């Protein structure tokens, strides 16, 4: 089902900082009402208010140190449910019909582990029905229903995935992601005061930047946008300025240089494996075991004696159990972990056509006495492992190298 001719369907996602207080909710509602044209149909996806999710995690920690995945997801899902009901009542108080729907009520089905689920299917029939009844529909992000009939959450940034997946399933005209920044920047504005806001960026570039640490978008949501051919407009809740449009191809060049962005990630641990026995398939065995447990690994580098790769620091304890099991099977002799590190990356579609990018980055870091541990290339990025204490200086120096003359 799709809305009729001359009717525009917008999916708008507002993050936790955008709906952190009742006053901010009133601001969100007034903005949506002001921008809404007569025939527009609006679906809003919201995150939990402010730091609610973190507070709920702390609350659970007062009674248990165990994971209790199902019960934790039941608890965390309440954050979004508070937000959707509050925002619906805010619209109603302003004289606009609105209705709130949980992930289950919106027809969002998920698979995977608790806390790390992914959207497998969306049946938006009820959402369409509520739109036909003249409502602004407010959907809980970050959650869905699994095959056992239990609520399950999508992990950090999951509300972005909810919004983009809904936009795809409903064939929306665009998905707008409202946040506390004005768009996608060439670096984190908290680190680089003169970071450049991109007018547009490709899905491939945004996906790589998100995967490598840019927090403005969740990687899975960018993948979904590409899958459904849905343009994503990242913009600020607190400004009327245009943001950044993420789409499959870009007609304009955002800068004169081959590098599109500089990202950083401090949620990184390095793993060193030595004395491996299976010469041909050892990396595939390690990758597959980690993937089966929803742990992603990156930057695999191998020589005759060692295998080095990185994982998210938040996955470290789970990874240790898996790798210890492989070690007990005599697949390798030893494992060494290092966690005081960070990953800094440069991203750009045309970057690898320029052979001097790698040398320019290394020289830029050498100029400020920052040593590079390992470097790793993909088709559109180069990543470096450095000490965590140097990450801010590294990002600033690399950004200056490629964007200083803009």
């Amino acid at each position: 089902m799709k809305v009729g001719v001359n009717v525009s369907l917008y999916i708008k996602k507002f993050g936790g900082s955008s709906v952190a207080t009742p006053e901010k909710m009133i601001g969100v509602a007034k903005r949506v009402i002001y921008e809404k044209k007569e025939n527009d149909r609006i679906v809003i996806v919201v995150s939990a208010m402010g730091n609610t999710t973190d507070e709920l995690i702390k609350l659970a920690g007062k009674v248990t140190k165990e994971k209790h995945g199902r019960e934790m997801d039941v608890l965390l899902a309440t954050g979004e449910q508070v937000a959707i009901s509050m925002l619906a009542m805010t619209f109603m108080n302003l004289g606009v019909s609105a209705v709130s729907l949980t992930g289950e009520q919106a027809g969002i089905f998920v698979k995977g582990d608790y806390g790390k689920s992914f959207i497998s299917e969306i049946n938006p029939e009820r959402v369409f029905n509520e739109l036909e009844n003249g409502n602004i529909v407010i959907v809980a992000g970050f959650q869905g229903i699994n095959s056992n009939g239990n609520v399950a959450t999508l992990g950090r940034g999951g509300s972005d995935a909810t919004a983009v997946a809904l936009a795809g399933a409903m064939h929306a005209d665009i998905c707008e992601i409202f946040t506390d920044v004005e768009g996608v920047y060439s670096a984190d504005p908290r680190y680089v005061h003169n970071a450049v806001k991109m007018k547009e960026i490709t899905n491939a570039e945004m996906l790589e930047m998100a995967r490598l640490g840019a927090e403005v978008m969740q990687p899975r949501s960018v993948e979904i946008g590409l899958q459904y051919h849905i343009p994503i407009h990242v913009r600020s809740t607190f400004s009327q300025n245009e943001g950044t449009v993420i789409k499959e191809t870009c007609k304009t060049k955002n800068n004169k240089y081959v590098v599109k962005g500089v990202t950083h990630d401090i949620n990184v641990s390095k793993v060193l494996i030595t004395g491996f026995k299976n010469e041909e398939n050892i990396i595939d065995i390690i990758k597959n075991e980690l993937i089966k447990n929803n742990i992603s690994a990156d930057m695999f580098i191998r020589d005759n004696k060692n295998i080095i790769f990185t994982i998210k620091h938040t996955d470290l304890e789970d990874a240790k159990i898996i790798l210890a099991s492989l070690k007990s099977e005599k697949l390798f002799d030893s494992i060494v972990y290092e966690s005081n590190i960070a990953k800094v990356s440069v991203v750009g579609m045309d970057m690898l056509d320029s052979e001097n990018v790698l040398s320019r980055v290394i020289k830029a870091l050498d100029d400020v006495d920052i040593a590079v541990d390992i470097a790793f290339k993909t088709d559109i990025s180069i990543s470096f492992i450095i000490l965590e204490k140097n990450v801010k200086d590294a990002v600033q120096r690399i950004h200056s190298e490629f964007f200083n003359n803009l």
Side-chain angles (χ1 to χ4, degrees), residues 60 66 107 120 153 157 168 176 226 229 255 272-273 300 319 349 374 406:
E66 300 297 324
S120 57
T153 66
E176 295 180 311
L226 183 60
H229 311 289
N255 59 67
L272 169 65
I273 288 177
F300 274 89
M349 287 292 291
I374 56 176
L406 280 173

Side-chain angles (χ1 to χ4, degrees), residues 14 19 23-35 44 87 90-92 94 96 136:
F14 290 91
V19 294
E23 292 74 21
K24 287 185 176 181
M25 284 191 174
I26 292 171
V28 165
K30 287 183 175 179
R31 175 174 184 161
V32 171
I33 294 168
Y34 175 78
E35 293 180 351
I44 299 174
L87 189 56
T90 302
F91 275 105
M92 293 163 71
L94 294 171
V96 176
I136 288 178

Side-chain angles (χ1 to χ4, degrees), residues 109-346:
F109 298 91
V110 301
K111 292 181 179 179
D113 294 341
Y114 292 107
K116 296 181 179 180
S117 292
F118 59 92
I119 296 172
S120 57
E121 181 184 355
I122 295 182
N123 179 2
E125 182 177 357
R126 182 168 179 183
V127 182
F128 277 121
N129 289 339
E130 296 293 354
L131 290 172
E132 289 299 311
N133 290 334
N135 289 308
I136 288 178
V137 183
I138 304 165
V139 176
F142 182 64
Q143 63 180 256
I145 195 79
N146 65 21
S147 59
N148 295 321
N150 294 320
V151 65
T153 66
L154 308 178
R156 291 289 183 180
S159 293
D160 287 353
T162 302
V164 181
L166 265 175
M170 299 181 71
H171 305 285
D173 294 276
I174 194 167
C175 180
E176 295 180 311
I177 304 292
F178 289 88
T179 182
D180 54 0
V181 295
E182 287 197 353
V184 179
Y185 285 80
S186 55
D188 188 333
R190 294 171 297 183
Y191 279 28
V192 180
H193 67 88
N194 62 342
V196 179
K197 184 175 74 174
M198 304 295 170
K199 182 177 180 181
E200 53 187 25
I201 189 170
T202 66
N203 291 82
E205 289 168 325
M206 186 69 250
L207 179 59
E208 194 75 347
M209 288 178 67
R211 187 182 68 81
L212 294 171
E215 297 179 350
V216 68
M217 286 292 294
Q218 184 210 47
R220 178 60 181 148
S221 62
V222 183
E223 291 177 339
I224 295 170
L226 183 60
Q227 176 185 348
Y228 287 105
H229 311 289
I230 295 293
I232 304 169
H233 188 185
V234 181
R235 55 192 311 202
S236 172
T237 305
F238 313 110
S239 166
Q240 298 295 326
N241 295 336
E242 291 295 305
T244 302
V245 177
I246 305 168
K247 54 186 181 178
E248 293 179 60
T249 58
C250 295
K251 295 180 181 178
T252 61
K253 294 288 184 182
N254 285 298
N255 59 67
K256 302 174 184 178
Y257 301 98
V258 290
V259 168
K260 185 65 65 70
V262 183
T263 68
H264 68 278
D265 188 357
I266 60 174
N267 180 23
V268 179
S269 291
K270 185 175 77 172
V271 183
L272 169 65
I273 288 177
T274 61
F276 47 88
K277 305 297 190 292
N278 187 318
E279 294 290 336
E280 295 183 359
N281 301 320
I282 183 63
I283 289 181
D284 289 336
I285 292 171
I286 293 170
K287 281 184 178 180
N288 290 337
E289 285 301 310
L290 293 173
I291 289 171
K292 282 195 300 187
N293 291 273
N294 290 313
I295 298 172
S296 60
D298 195 14
M299 295 183 70
F300 274 89
I301 297 175
R302 171 180 169 173
D303 59 26
N304 291 331
K305 297 180 179 180
N306 306 309
I307 295 172
I308 297 173
F309 60 93
T310 61
I311 58 173
K312 290 190 176 298
H313 185 68
T314 46
D315 287 331
L316 180 58
E317 295 307 313
D318 290 338
K320 283 182 176 180
I321 296 171
I322 295 162
L323 294 173
S325 176
L326 294 178
K327 181 175 178 290
S328 69
E329 296 175 15
K330 309 297 184 183
L331 292 177
F332 43 81
D333 292 335
S334 66
I335 318 168
V336 178
Y337 302 96
E338 185 178 352
S339 296
N340 60 338
I341 61 170
K343 183 189 300 181
V344 177
S345 308
V346 290

